[in-house]
Amino acid sequence: MQGNYLSYMKLGLVYFMAYPFAMTGEGDILNTVREVLRDTDFGAIELTRINDPQVRRQVAALCRQSGVTVYYGAQPQLMRNKENINSLDESLRRRAVERMKRCVDEAVELGAAGIAYLAGHFEQDKVEDYYQALVKSTCEICEYAREKGNLPVSLEVFDYDVEKCSLIGPAPLARRFAEEICARYDNFGLMIDLSHITQLRESFDENMDGIVPYIRHVHLATSVLEEGAPAYGDQHPGFYFDKSVVDEDMLAAFLRKLFRIGYLAEGKRPTVSFEVKPWGDEDSAMLVAGAKRFLQRAWERV
């Protein structure tokens, strides 16, 4: 592909994955966020809970000053607190919805352009019951987000039998769910993640063709699918990690698919974010730099 990829996308970083300590809401958040914002290649940053209200306000101010778009990821909050948004136990489902409402409030405080979450675990013989619980919860979340300024809400499509074992999930159910919620709420959409597509064992056509009108956000990531190998499952290692399933050709093919479905197009510049996490003693900043180099090499093959 001729030209810089930044002409076709707003490059983002899932900050709390690149700097995993931030998932706790504590630690040196201010300085590491500042480090990301200094990188002029990044036009978006995905944050999660920041416990200290003063630090939260400072981070919001830095993002405004740097002209970087903020998105809020509620996924770590649901997972860390073992909350299932589609639980069949009504008290547990309500608890997860209340968690999401607090996340919406924090997202608004940060000036976020959207919030993302994930479906929870399920039992195979009760898929429809879990599905209906997810619909109920999502409608409540979208309604609350609409009251807070029509904040966009995205459900991230995860694996269903590898690690996160999320109800959404396989392409047919993702399509059914998106169609049903979008018919009621114009602030809803889906987030797709390259590493999750590999874990779902779906082709790009199988995964995306049925949900094209509903794709609102994209993550670039890889996975290790050899059981027993380091970083097996949904661990989001760097692209150069041993046994990473996403090579430059696969990333180039994914980008070509994003062009074919119209997500990427000249003049649009939608958000496309890296999601990479250091393994062991890997350095976060070097991992992010490596991701950009990997994308550049793949872009040359598009």
Side-chain angles (χ1 to χ4, degrees), residues 192 208-209 212 215 256-264:
I192 61 171
M208 286 186 262
D209 283 356
V212 169
I215 298 173
R256 286 194 294 269
K257 180 65 177 180
L258 292 178
F259 273 106
R260 286 198 298 274
I261 66 174
Y263 185 81
L264 293 180

Side-chain angles (χ1 to χ4, degrees), residues 19 25 45 88 102 135 145 211-212 292:
Y19 296 85
I45 187 169
L88 300 186
R102 291 195 293 275
V135 169
I211 60 170
V212 169
K292 291 201 295 182

Side-chain angles (χ1 to χ4, degrees), residues 110-274:
L110 285 165
I115 186 170
Y117 71 113
L118 79 162
H121 291 184
F122 65 99
E123 298 171 41
Q124 193 63 53
D125 61 344
K126 297 179 181 177
V127 166
E128 186 61 26
D129 293 336
Y130 283 98
Y131 177 87
Q132 293 302 331
L134 180 62
V135 169
K136 183 176 181 180
S137 294
T138 298
C139 288
E140 292 179 44
I141 295 163
C142 287
E143 186 67 35
Y144 187 79
R146 188 158 67 181
E147 294 169 0
K148 296 291 181 173
N150 210 33
L151 181 72
V153 176
S154 294
L155 180 136
E156 183 173 7
V157 180
F158 271 79
D159 72 90
Y160 70 96
D161 66 354
V162 176
E163 182 176 325
K164 298 302 188 290
C165 301
S166 172
L167 179 63
I168 311 289
L173 204 56
R175 177 178 182 173
R176 176 188 170 192
F177 184 69
E179 288 176 343
E180 184 165 352
I181 302 300
C182 286
R184 306 185 199 183
Y185 292 96
D186 62 4
N187 61 332
F188 181 79
L190 295 177
M191 176 189 294
I192 61 171
D193 180 306
L194 175 55
S195 71
H196 297 160
I197 296 173
T198 67
Q199 292 168 57
L200 287 163
R201 300 177 294 280
E202 294 173 345
S203 69
F204 296 153
D205 291 347
E206 291 169 335
N207 182 268
M208 286 186 262
D209 283 356
I211 60 170
V212 169
Y214 314 111
I215 298 173
R216 302 287 185 268
H217 201 99
V218 172
H219 282 171
L220 302 182
T222 188
S223 62
V224 172
L225 297 181
E226 182 179 311
E227 292 192 40
Y232 168 76
D234 189 40
Q235 292 298 310
H236 293 281
F239 289 101
Y240 295 107
F241 199 81
D242 187 40
K243 296 183 172 64
S244 162
V245 299
V246 175
D247 58 17
E248 292 169 9
D249 286 333
M250 182 183 288
L251 179 53
F254 183 63
L255 294 169
R256 286 194 294 269
K257 180 65 177 180
L258 292 178
F259 273 106
R260 286 198 298 274
I261 66 174
Y263 185 81
L264 293 180
E266 191 168 0
K268 286 186 65 174
R269 296 194 69 243
T271 299
V272 177
S273 295
F274 287 127

Side-chain angles (χ1 to χ4, degrees), residues 46-67:
E46 300 185 31
L47 304 171
T48 192
R49 176 167 174 77
I50 301 173
N51 293 341
D52 187 325
Q54 182 177 352
V55 174
R56 201 155 60 234
R57 288 191 292 271
Q58 289 174 304
V59 167
L62 289 175
C63 292
R64 285 194 303 272
Q65 292 163 27
S66 62

Side-chain angles (χ1 to χ4, degrees), residues 288-299:
V288 172
K292 291 201 295 182
R293 292 186 177 101
F294 192 86
L295 174 57
Q296 179 58 50
R297 294 189 179 105
W299 185 257

